[in-house]
Amino acid sequence: MLRAAHLPRAQPAALNFLLVSKRWQQTPASPGSGTTASTKSTPGSHTTQYATNNPASAFKTQTAASRPSFNAPIDRTSNSYKTTTSPTSTYVPPSSQRTNPSSGNKSGGGAGTLVKAIVYGVALGVTGTLAYAEYENDSFRRQLESTIPYSATILGGIDQVIDPVLGRQKSITKGITDKVPDLAYVKEKLPGKDQVKKLGEQVKDATNHVVEKFPDKNALKKVGEQAKDAVNKVTGTLTDQSKAKGLVHQTTDQVKDAVNTVREALPDTKGLKKNLDHVKEQIQDAAHTVKETVKEAVPALPKGRSGDSSGKLTDPVFIEEAGEVAVPPPIPQDKYKKLEEELSQLFAPLSTQIDEALSAAREHISHMKTLIDNPHISTSDHETWKKAEHLQEQAKTSYEKATDKLREWKDKLIEYSTATNGQIHPEEKKLDEKYQELHKQYTTSTFVKNFRTYIDEATKSFQKEIETMFPSLAGKNPTQLTHEDLQALLVHAHRRVVKLQNDMARMRINESDSIKAGVESARSEIDRLVEERVQTRVAKTTEQLTEELKSYEKNLRQQFDEQLKYEIVLQHQALTQYLADVLSRQYQEWAREYEKQLENESMKINLNLQNQLRSTLDRLHAIEQAIEANYDSQQRGRQAQQLWIQAQNILNQIVHGTTTENDLDVISKIVPNEKFVHILLNELKADDSPVTNEEMLRERFAHVNKLCRRVALIDDEHNSLWNYFLSYLQSLLIVRQRDDIILTDDAIDLNRLSTFTILNYVQSYLDHNQWYNALRLMQLLSGEPRNVAQSWIADTRNYLAKKQTSELLEAYSNSIGLGTLPRTA
Amino acid sequence: MTTPTRPLASEEIYGEKWNRCVSDTIVKTASGLALGIVFSAVLFRRRPWPVFLGTGIGLGMGYGNCQNEFRSPYVPGQVSKLATLRGHLSPKPSNN
């Protein structure tokens, strides 16, 4: 940190000192002082940020002007320090600072954390429920699915992920409920036999009602009484002679009226028939309604496809929906249409004809009525009678035509009704009504036709009667009648009236009886018919319904069977697949195991064989090697001998003379393969130091010795010639000790060496041929003597190295030789 | 005697230095003397002081030269001028 090398050039010393002191203060050992330093340097910068730019910059500004070269290092260091210390220093204040803004944030963050907590809680709850539902897969899941709308989809999605993982499958049997689909409700909706019977009874009641509406005895009685009154009136006004005939006529008229009224009041068979038809219609309607209800009850299921969901029928068993209900096959449309067309075609002309006939009949009747009403009718009025006859003829013909046509129509209608199975043509009713009326009118017309004859007969009979009873009166005029005649006539009339009364009473009785009988028979007939019809209709409908039910049931059963088969097939498939999987897996496992075992065994055998092979090979190799080694050793022995000889040669040469290249080459020829020898030889060859031998070195040492003595006082420095002179003088004065005590103690005191002592020692070493010691000691020389002896030292060293090398060579050869000596046990 | 190719041994340098020194001194003295004589004869009307001066200068120069030569740091295998004159070129690679 302290760039001592780069001292500022022009520094106020005080500032420098300040800097240094500051630097020292800012060592990390004293953060407190660091704070003080920082506070010193940065007054009022505590409230600033964490970053130390401000203090550094403040520092910079202080020192910028005077210290450009220092700025960068200072700032860096100070920055680093500031950053390290100011955190510690500003930890206390800005920590409080930080808590302030953080506490400020906390209130805002409190709400945020609350929201977060809520969100987490909700998410946790949802995931928990989903996971539990998924895991449980039973009642809780079903509950969840039923209550929460989209949970089923979510769970289904999760199922798709989890089921393969866990290996769950939606059990098919669980989906099917044990309940057989409830067909009872279908049956309930069917109108039972009771209902149909009820309808029949209703019809019966209606007929009874109708029948009851028939005029009963009271009405007849009334009519009879009317007649009686008329007769009484007649008797009351017996005195009136002038009006006697008129009265008679009136009475006859009245009687006729009474008869007519009676006849009218008679049970009108046509009306009866009409009522019967009406009843029949009612029955038909009832049956129709029954069928309709049946149809409605059995739901009209469309023919379903296997993929569609059963929407209409909440029937969990079936995937497919039942087929169509066995509705009675519809009328083949063409025939129906044709018939209908024909009927409608026939209808129009028929209706017109009927109308015609009707009108004709009506006319006739009206005419006759006028005739009847007219009291002054006389048989001599031929025109009117002819007209009446003509009219009657017309009416008859038209009536016959109408009936023919109607018969045709009826046939067609029957056909139609059989084809449509009882459906009624809409115009049938109208036609029937018309026909009824026509018939009625026609009968009255036929009845009325005979009016004339009746009148004629009546008058004739009356005339005859009068003539027989009162022949005397017959010829007289009405004005000539005497009182007795009149009385006789009156008596006769009275007697006649009584007779008529009796007749009427008898007739009444007869009529009532016949009426009763007729009514009874009609009733019974109606009853029978109704019953029959009802029975047939009921039977038919019940048959139909049972058929339908059976077919429906069959259908359902069939579908159920199919479904069951399908499911069984699926399960079978699944089972077989599962079995196959398990088997294959087992097979694989076992196969793997056995293979492993096989491998192990084979490996073991292999290894055994290999081991044996190796051992035999090793033995073989060892034998070979032994033989070779033997040979080698012999050879090496020979080589060693030669080497030794040569080495000795070299050594001698080194010591006493010079080595020549030939010698070295000879050695390389002897042992071409030895690396060690090669290295040594290379060393010897490379050694191009001047060839010396021992004697030369000794001589040189004597010279060196002398010189060293002469320059003993000269050091490395402060050499002047005067010193040289002095050292020479000294050398002349110092006398060498010739004791051998020098070498008695081997330990040389190294602290008390001087040039002379060293030289003495070395001389003695050389005398005793201890070259290494001599060399070592010589190296302890210092100063000018060292310089003088330098080359001698180097040469001695080289010589000794060479010698060593050659000795090594010799030793090596010895070692080889020793190695090849036969081993003695 | 050394062969011309062999570099100088260190002990011989000492001797060589002395040789050079002495010869140089003699030469300088003589030349100083001569110059002194010349100067005294020519410029200074045969006064004796230039001779002595010259001689002294010569001696002093020689002495100084000698001293400097002996003071020069000893480099092993240093080739002296005389050795170069003799033809010893490459210094021996130091084995120290």
Side-chain angles (χ1 to χ4, degrees):
Chain A
M1 240 105 37
L2 290 172
R3 294 284 190 93
H6 300 286
L7 291 172
R9 291 183 208 133
Q11 281 299 315
L15 215 50
N16 195 6
F17 173 71
L18 191 65
L19 167 69
V20 167
S21 70
K22 276 192 185 153
R23 281 238 195 85
W24 278 116
Q25 279 174 0
Q26 285 169 16
T27 52
S30 59
S33 52
T35 55
T36 56
S38 57
T39 50
K40 266 190 219 166
S41 61
T42 67
S45 66
H46 272 268
T47 55
T48 54
Q49 304 159 358
Y50 211 82
T52 58
N53 288 330
N54 267 342
S57 63
F59 208 5
K60 245 194 212 171
T61 50
Q62 272 188 4
T63 61
S66 52
R67 205 175 306 162
S69 62
F70 248 66
N71 266 346
I74 287 174
D75 286 339
R76 250 182 258 129
T77 57
S78 66
N79 263 344
S80 66
Y81 262 118
K82 293 275 179 179
T83 47
T84 49
T85 55
S86 57
T88 58
S89 68
T90 53
Y91 251 8
V92 175
S95 62
S96 63
Q97 263 182 42
R98 260 187 285 135
T99 51
N100 283 338
S102 67
S103 69
N105 279 337
K106 245 188 192 168
S107 59
T113 51
L114 184 68
V115 167
K116 264 195 223 168
I118 288 168
V119 167
Y120 284 147
V122 166
L124 198 70
V126 166
T127 47
T129 49
L130 281 175
Y132 181 66
E134 188 57 40
Y135 167 72
E136 206 222 0
N137 219 20
D138 271 334
S139 63
F140 179 71
R141 178 177 175 156
R142 268 185 254 133
Q143 241 179 0
L144 198 70
E145 278 176 5
S146 61
T147 50
I148 297 171
Y150 286 109
S151 60
T153 53
I154 293 169
L155 283 168
I158 296 170
D159 263 350
Q160 280 181 358
V161 169
I162 283 184
D163 278 346
V165 169
L166 290 180
R168 286 203 293 206
Q169 274 144 7
K170 264 205 160 70
S171 62
I172 299 160
T173 53
K174 255 196 180 174
I176 302 168
T177 56
D178 298 327
K179 270 196 344 181
V180 174
D182 196 11
L183 292 173
Y185 76 97
V186 171
K187 280 190 189 157
E188 273 170 30
K189 282 214 181 155
L190 294 175
K193 286 187 187 171
D194 309 333
Q195 251 191 15
V196 175
K197 265 220 170 116
K198 240 193 257 171
L199 278 170
E201 270 175 36
Q202 264 181 13
V203 164
K204 255 193 229 172
D205 289 337
T207 53
N208 282 340
H209 197 66
V210 162
V211 162
E212 275 165 19
K213 278 212 160 103
F214 293 155
D216 51 358
K217 293 180 207 170
N218 296 333
L220 285 170
K221 254 195 196 154
K222 265 192 204 151
V223 165
E225 272 177 55
Q226 265 183 13
K228 231 194 223 171
D229 285 338
V231 167
N232 286 339
K233 237 198 243 171
V234 165
T235 54
T237 57
L238 261 172
T239 54
D240 201 348
Q241 291 179 8
S242 60
K243 293 185 184 173
K245 237 185 184 172
L247 269 171
V248 170
H249 279 295
Q250 235 182 14
T251 51
T252 52
D253 288 335
Q254 276 186 347
V255 165
K256 277 181 189 153
D257 277 336
V259 166
N260 276 341
T261 49
V262 163
R263 207 169 279 130
E264 276 175 3
L266 277 178
D268 196 352
T269 51
K270 302 308 152 211
L272 196 72
K273 191 166 182 192
K274 181 174 153 202
N275 280 331
L276 190 67
D277 282 337
H278 187 62
V279 163
K280 185 172 93 179
E281 270 174 50
Q282 268 191 348
I283 289 165
Q284 275 182 346
D285 284 337
H288 202 66
T289 49
V290 164
K291 202 167 79 178
E292 290 300 322
T293 50
V294 165
K295 256 194 190 167
E296 279 165 25
V298 175
L301 305 168
K303 271 223 176 89
R305 280 167 293 158
S306 55
D308 291 350
S309 58
S310 58
K312 292 193 184 170
L313 202 63
T314 56
D315 198 344
V317 175
F318 305 116
I319 290 173
E320 276 188 41
E321 290 179 347
E324 265 193 40
V325 177
V327 171
I331 303 158
Q333 287 279 330
D334 330 325
K335 198 175 178 188
Y336 172 69
K337 281 287 175 197
K338 200 171 80 176
L339 281 172
E340 206 171 336
E341 275 173 27
E342 277 176 8
L343 284 168
S344 41
Q345 268 177 14
L346 280 175
F347 175 71
L350 189 60
S351 62
T352 49
Q353 269 210 340
I354 287 175
D355 288 336
E356 267 179 40
L358 201 67
S359 60
R362 274 213 193 104
E363 228 182 284
H364 179 242
I365 286 165
S366 63
H367 189 76
M368 290 308 289
K369 255 213 170 109
T370 53
L371 280 178
I372 290 166
D373 285 338
N374 191 0
H376 301 297
I377 191 82
S378 62
T379 53
S380 53
D381 201 354
H382 288 286
E383 270 187 34
T384 50
W385 288 117
K386 271 241 165 68
K387 191 176 168 193
E389 274 182 31
H390 176 69
L391 284 172
Q392 202 271 328
E393 284 292 327
Q394 216 177 31
K396 189 174 169 185
T397 51
S398 58
Y399 177 73
E400 272 169 8
K401 267 195 231 166
T403 45
D404 286 335
K405 269 274 160 79
L406 199 68
R407 208 174 293 124
E408 223 180 277
W409 159 267
K410 283 279 177 194
D411 289 336
K412 273 270 157 62
L413 198 66
I414 285 163
E415 209 181 293
Y416 174 79
S417 67
T418 51
T420 59
N421 212 11
Q423 271 182 2
I424 299 162
H425 196 269
E427 286 141 352
E428 191 185 337
K429 248 190 237 176
K430 280 190 242 164
L431 221 57
D432 277 344
E433 280 174 18
K434 277 196 186 157
Y435 181 68
Q436 299 314 322
E437 211 179 316
L438 176 68
H439 204 73
K440 178 173 156 187
Q441 296 296 335
Y442 182 67
T443 46
T444 48
S445 77
T446 49
F447 197 72
V448 163
K449 167 178 81 175
N450 298 322
F451 178 61
R452 196 190 163 188
T453 51
Y454 287 153
I455 288 176
D456 287 341
E457 274 182 29
T459 48
K460 273 192 190 136
S461 69
F462 187 63
Q463 204 86 338
K464 224 188 240 179
E465 213 181 289
I466 295 284
E467 280 173 4
T468 52
M469 299 263 346
F470 304 100
S472 57
L473 298 172
K476 291 183 184 171
N477 289 3
T479 52
Q480 291 174 342
L481 284 173
T482 58
H483 189 74
E484 284 145 2
D485 294 330
L486 279 171
Q487 268 194 343
L489 276 169
L490 269 171
V491 166
H492 178 75
H494 192 78
R495 243 186 270 143
R496 186 70 190 229
V497 163
V498 166
K499 187 176 167 213
L500 277 172
Q501 262 189 349
N502 288 335
D503 282 341
M504 237 172 16
R506 216 185 303 127
M507 225 168 37
R508 212 186 297 139
I509 290 164
N510 286 340
E511 290 295 336
S512 74
D513 284 343
S514 67
I515 283 165
K516 266 190 213 158
V519 161
E520 282 298 320
S521 68
R523 202 177 288 171
S524 62
E525 185 72 29
I526 285 166
D527 280 352
R528 195 177 54 79
L529 268 175
V530 161
E531 190 69 31
E532 211 180 278
R533 287 285 172 89
V534 161
Q535 289 278 357
T536 49
R537 187 56 75 165
V538 161
K540 220 201 263 182
T541 46
T542 47
E543 220 179 83
Q544 230 172 37
L545 289 170
T546 47
E547 254 180 50
E548 280 172 17
L549 269 173
K550 266 194 213 148
S551 65
Y552 179 66
E553 205 183 307
K554 199 166 81 172
N555 214 0
L556 283 178
R557 204 167 281 284
Q558 210 174 32
Q559 283 184 4
F560 179 70
D561 284 340
E562 268 177 41
Q563 184 63 23
L564 197 66
K565 245 188 263 177
Y566 175 68
E567 301 298 344
I568 284 169
V569 160
L570 278 178
Q571 281 209 343
H572 171 257
Q573 275 179 5
L575 270 171
T576 46
Q577 203 167 24
Y578 171 71
L579 272 175
D581 279 342
V582 165
L583 278 172
S584 72
R585 217 179 300 134
Q586 267 289 350
Y587 172 73
Q588 275 174 20
E589 272 179 32
W590 282 342
R592 218 182 299 137
E593 240 183 74
Y594 291 139
E595 265 176 32
K596 231 188 284 177
Q597 278 184 14
L598 191 70
E599 259 183 56
N600 282 344
E601 294 295 324
S602 66
M603 245 166 48
K604 268 189 220 160
I605 291 166
N606 210 6
L607 283 170
N608 269 343
L609 283 172
Q610 278 182 11
N611 279 339
Q612 281 181 7
L613 197 65
R614 202 178 298 128
S615 62
T616 48
L617 274 174
D618 286 342
R619 261 193 285 147
L620 193 65
H621 281 312
I623 290 165
E624 279 179 7
Q625 273 177 10
I627 292 167
E628 276 186 22
N630 203 5
Y631 171 72
D632 272 344
S633 66
Q634 280 181 4
Q635 199 166 25
R636 283 165 83 74
R638 251 180 279 122
Q639 276 180 359
Q641 276 181 352
Q642 287 181 350
L643 192 62
W644 187 81
I645 292 163
Q646 197 59 31
Q648 279 284 22
N649 202 3
I650 288 169
L651 188 63
N652 280 332
Q653 280 183 357
I654 284 169
V655 167
H656 297 294
T658 59
T659 57
T660 57
E661 292 294 314
N662 286 337
D663 302 328
L664 300 174
D665 292 335
V666 166
I667 285 185
S668 63
K669 276 183 209 157
I670 294 167
V671 273
N673 297 328
E674 293 287 337
K675 205 170 179 188
F676 189 54
V677 173
H678 269 290
I679 291 165
L680 294 176
L681 282 178
N682 287 336
E683 191 64 35
L684 283 174
K685 275 186 206 170
D687 202 4
D688 52 346
S689 58
V691 181
T692 57
N693 53 15
E694 242 171 76
E695 286 155 23
M696 277 168 64
L697 284 172
R698 274 183 213 273
E699 280 173 22
R700 277 175 72 184
F701 179 70
H703 183 63
V704 163
N705 197 3
K706 199 173 65 176
L707 280 178
C708 284
R709 277 173 191 279
R710 253 197 270 163
V711 293
L713 273 180
I714 313 292
D715 293 336
D716 288 328
E717 301 168 17
H718 313 301
N719 293 341
S720 61
L721 278 175
W722 175 246
N723 287 352
Y724 275 95
F725 174 66
L726 284 177
S727 68
Y728 176 66
L729 207 63
Q730 187 190 26
S731 71
L732 288 177
L733 291 174
I734 285 181
V735 175
R736 184 181 177 234
Q737 289 172 289
R738 289 217 171 244
D739 289 337
D740 287 341
I741 303 168
I742 296 171
L743 286 178
T744 49
D745 47 7
D746 289 335
I748 297 169
D749 195 359
L750 286 165
N751 288 329
R752 298 177 67 174
L753 285 174
S754 70
T755 313
F756 291 100
T757 51
I758 287 171
L759 289 170
N760 287 337
Y761 278 135
V762 171
Q763 182 71 53
S764 53
Y765 276 137
L766 284 180
D767 291 339
H768 289 272
N769 239 1
Q770 290 184 13
W771 282 90
Y772 292 102
N773 287 336
L775 184 61
R776 279 191 208 115
L777 265 182
M778 277 300 280
Q779 290 196 341
L780 291 176
L781 283 172
S782 63
E784 191 62 32
R786 178 57 181 274
N787 294 337
V788 164
Q790 190 65 39
S791 63
W792 186 88
I793 290 165
D795 287 343
T796 316
R797 203 186 286 136
N798 286 332
Y799 165 77
L800 284 174
K802 266 205 279 192
K803 196 169 160 196
Q804 198 179 37
T805 318
S806 65
E807 274 172 2
L808 261 178
L809 203 59
E810 187 190 335
Y812 185 67
S813 70
N814 279 339
S815 72
I816 294 170
L818 281 170
T820 60
L821 284 174
R823 284 195 214 128
T824 56
Chain B
M1 290 301 237
T2 60
T3 56
T5 57
R6 208 189 70 152
L8 277 172
S10 56
E11 58 263 26
E12 287 167 16
I13 288 172
Y14 182 71
E16 291 282 334
K17 272 185 187 175
W18 265 118
N19 288 344
R20 257 181 275 138
C21 184
V22 167
S23 62
D24 199 38
T25 308
I26 288 169
V27 164
K28 279 191 170 58
T29 314
S31 61
L33 182 68
L35 267 177
I37 290 170
V38 164
F39 267 99
S40 100
V42 169
L43 286 174
F44 296 104
R45 287 173 277 149
R46 293 204 182 177
R47 288 208 193 131
W49 63 267
V51 177
F52 297 122
L53 184 66
T55 315
I57 287 171
L59 256 177
M61 275 176 19
Y63 185 85
N65 247 0
C66 237
Q67 198 166 307
N68 264 346
E69 196 157 348
F70 276 116
R71 267 193 194 159
S72 64
Y74 178 74
V75 175
Q78 182 184 23
V79 179
S80 62
K81 293 177 205 165
L82 293 174
T84 54
L85 282 175
R86 285 192 206 159
H88 298 158
L89 296 170
S90 62
K92 187 173 79 168
S94 63
N95 291 347
N96 296 336

